[in-house]
Structures are given as C-alpha cells and as structure tokens.
C-alpha cells in the first residue's frame, strides 16, 4: 500500500503571518496553485485558498494589505506522511477538501492534492470517490 509521502508535493510555497492577502494572491498566481499554507516558524497554522481570498477578502471589502491571518482557515484537516493514499482520499471526501496538508510533529512537510491521488494507480479509485463526494451538491454549504 502506497503512503502519502510517496505521492505528496514536497516543494510547497507558503506565506507567514506577516504576509498580506495581496502577497498570497500573487504567490497563487505565480505558482499556479489554489491554496497557500500559512506557516509560522515551521509550524502549519492555517491555509488560505483562492475562495478565502474572494469570500473573506474581496467580498468582505478587505484591502490587499489585510494580514493573511484574518482571511485564512485555521481549523485544518491534516494527514501524516506515513498514512495510506486511501486514507488521504477518504479524509478528502469526508471533509470535502481538494488539498490536504501533510504534517509531521506540527511541521508542514508537503501537500497531497486530489490531482496527486488521481494520477496514482493505487489510489485512482479512491480519488474518484473523493471527487464525487466533494462535488456532490447535497454536501455543499
């Protein structure tokens, strides 16, 4: 059984609590990603997504200078690097998330995305199930 460590992305761009939402948006654009972890002294403290920027930032009429900590999500679902890819897909489906921070002793060590699971032959069925659950309108808030 494959582990999350084998499929996760390890070169993860992140912001710190001193960064603002404009800087997070620029990183998303420059690195073509939809989420940026917020890391303080190596510890994962939050995630900011493109949706967070729109809903909690722009739609809330917050300026680009707003600290990322005011817009980020801080109730995070994470996974350990030694967890199975099936467990990662199950968590993504259960919590309706497309990206799962990989954390070891509180430190961000990578991110596993639905795309990472989809291209993995050991987890493609689990990834398909997770996407179905995430995309199901009955579960959307």
């Amino acid at each position: 059984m494959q582990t999350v460590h084998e499929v996760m992305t390890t070169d993860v761009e992140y912001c710190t609590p001193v960064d603002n939402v404009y800087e997070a948006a620029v990183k998303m654009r420059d690195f073509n990603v939809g989420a940026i972890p917020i890391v303080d002294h190596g510890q994962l403290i939050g995630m900011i997504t493109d949706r967070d920027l729109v809903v909690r930032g722009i739609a809330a009429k917050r300026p680009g200078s707003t600290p990322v900590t005011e817009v980020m999500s801080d109730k995070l679902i994470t996974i350990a690097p030694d967890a199975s890819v099936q467990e990662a897909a199950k968590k993504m489906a259960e919590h309706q998330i497309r990206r799962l921070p990989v954390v070891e002793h509180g430190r961000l060590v990578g991110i596993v995305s639905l795309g990472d699971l989809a291209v993995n032959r050991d987890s493609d069925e689990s990834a398909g199930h997770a996407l179905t659950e995430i995309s199901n309108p009955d579960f959307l808030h």
Side-chain angles (χ1 to χ4, degrees):
M1 187 173 291
Q2 256 188 331
T3 65
V4 168
H5 183 265
E6 295 173 82
V7 299
M8 72 184 188
T9 300
T10 56
D11 187 21
V12 179
E13 282 299 319
Y14 62 88
C15 287
T16 69
V18 300
D19 291 322
N20 61 46
V21 295
Y22 173 77
E23 292 164 320
V26 168
K27 280 192 178 192
M28 286 182 195
R29 179 199 66 202
D30 291 351
F31 295 99
N32 194 29
V33 295
I36 299 283
I38 311 302
V39 176
D40 189 18
H41 296 88
Q43 300 290 306
L44 178 67
I45 62 167
M47 290 281 287
I48 189 166
T49 65
D50 44 10
R51 188 171 195 282
D52 292 331
L53 290 176
V54 172
V55 174
R56 296 182 191 154
I58 297 166
K61 297 185 179 181
R62 293 179 186 251
S65 60
T66 302
V68 292
T69 53
E70 291 184 26
V71 178
M72 72 181 192
S73 298
D74 60 0
K75 292 175 179 48
L76 302 177
I77 306 301
T78 63
I79 197 159
D82 59 349
S84 72
V85 293
Q86 288 79 9
E87 184 180 341
K90 181 180 176 188
K91 273 192 175 197
M92 290 172 154
E94 182 179 320
H95 297 283
Q96 297 183 307
I97 53 178
R98 296 173 184 269
R99 302 165 199 93
L100 194 55
V102 183
V103 175
E104 191 167 42
H105 307 295
R107 300 183 79 75
L108 179 70
V109 295
I111 289 187
V112 64
S113 71
L114 203 51
D116 294 331
L117 298 182
V119 298
N120 181 298
R121 66 178 171 77
D122 290 342
S123 65
D124 59 350
E125 186 176 315
S126 296
H129 174 72
L131 180 58
T132 299
E133 292 298 313
I134 292 166
S135 301
N136 186 339
D138 292 340
F139 295 107
L140 297 179
H141 304 284

